[in-house]
Amino acid sequence: MTSPQTTRLLPQAYRPLFAHPPFRRLLPALAASDLGDGMSVVAVAWLAIEIAPPGRSGMLLGAALAAYALPGAAGALLFGRWLRRLPAARLLAADSRIRAVLLGCVPLAWALDVLHPVLYVALLAGSSVLHAWGNAGKYALLAGLLPAEQRLAANALVSSSASASIVMGPALAGFLAAVISPAWLIGLDALSFALLAAQVGRVRGASGGAGQDGEAGQEGGPGTAPVDADRSAAGMHLLHKQPELLGVLALTWFFNFLYGPAEVALPLHVTDDLHAGAGLLGLYWALFGAGAVLGGLAAGALRRFPLWPVTLTIVAGWGLALVPFGLGAPAAVTLACFTLGGLIYGPFTALSYTLFQDRTPAAWLTTVLAARSAALLTAGPVGTALGGPLIALMGPRGVLAASGVATVALALVAAVMRVRTGRRAASRLA
């Protein structure tokens, strides 16, 4: 339990969260799974490089990173008929259990010397099949547990936990990769999801029926209610009728898509261009995470600013942070740029989720967030899948720079379109 003295040391926006028992119990479990995923940022890529056939590391790396996320979009569509009826807590628990089992098979297969690249990609793909629903369940559960005025602070805290894991996870993975195989690090990620599944069950039971079928919405909060087929269809139509939500969704899709090739290029930039090891790769992600933690915690103070100028500034700033890689800047400079990029990117996730939570009726929130996750899950993996061929043409540095320039261009195009849309709306009112 958080002591009153410790609570007084927290910023005002975050104090009510730590006075809320279900949220206080859930947060450490989310942080543990975030740490596991933080280690996997390095481990998944490094293991792909280790087991790849000669000359095929770029292709396998892109396939592994894509497989770690892309099937979640298919799962959102294929299993929606059944999963959209489930409460948010059960969705999060189901996703966590599948990740725990299938990611746990990676170190087992490695220990038995049967971890073929095809099996590796298949296990990663299976582990992500419910990711869209699990992610939707997480944020819908938060919306159901907390009053509306506390959601932005909760989203900022949860997204900052994910960012903090990128500080500790990659750095820890880079250190441990010199001692043990990255396969065992993926096993630790599996263990973290097993812990999350167990804790979600406790929170579900303590929230007065949040995990019970049929009547969850009556006692478990609006965000935990099951969604029937009619409401699900209405929720999808609601998303199409919200131009601002669609605009943010489109911008985020292209933002994540352009990030994908950079995620593939960075490990190969470390190995091929800088001739370094997993420790330096971990340092890149650790510094990015440190910046993202600071930026994410600052999100609680950004609600009074207009959404679009802040969002477009974040997109353009991240793009500019990548450009020095293509100019042949030394590692010290690009490390500083990656840190700044994390600081700029930090508030993005919290702002995006808060907008969706605020503009979506509570009964449809899980379905709308699942549709959002499904759409976005196609972006990064498609980008990472393209990363391998692009690296073969341009080299790691060229891909990093091209990703940055294209991201800046995306922000400029979105700004122009936003201005034009505003002018059209004003002329109609006139």
Side-chain angles (χ1 to χ4, degrees), residues 291-352:
V293 169
L294 297 177
L297 291 175
L302 294 177
R303 188 162 189 154
R304 63 179 181 270
F305 294 100
L307 170 71
W308 278 99
V310 173
T311 303
L312 294 175
T313 300
I314 290 171
V315 174
W318 167 251
L320 290 173
L322 292 179
V323 172
F325 284 90
L327 302 178
V333 174
T334 55
L335 283 167
C337 290
F338 224 55
T339 307
L340 179 61
L343 179 66
I344 294 169
Y345 175 79
F348 188 86
T349 300
L351 291 173
S352 175

Side-chain angles (χ1 to χ4, degrees), residues 75-95:
L77 299 174
L78 295 175
F79 304 126
R81 179 180 179 181
W82 300 278
L83 297 182
R84 66 192 174 201
R85 301 174 183 271
L86 296 180
R90 292 186 65 184
L91 292 174
L92 178 56
D95 176 46

Side-chain angles (χ1 to χ4, degrees), residues 138-148 151 155 221-224 357 365:
K138 176 173 68 174
Y139 283 95
L141 180 59
L142 292 178
L145 289 174
L146 300 166
R151 290 175 184 171
N155 293 338
T224 62
Q357 289 170 333
L365 183 58

Side-chain angles (χ1 to χ4, degrees), residues 35-73:
L35 179 61
D37 274 344
M39 290 191 294
S40 288
V41 167
V42 172
V44 169
W46 213 256
L47 184 58
I49 293 173
E50 284 191 358
I51 69 173
R56 304 298 297 274
S57 58
M59 299 298 292
L60 180 58
L61 180 56
L65 293 176
Y68 198 45
L70 186 57

Side-chain angles (χ1 to χ4, degrees), residues 385-402:
L386 291 175
L390 289 176
I391 288 170
L393 292 174
M394 306 171 62
R397 278 182 178 152
V399 170
L400 286 164

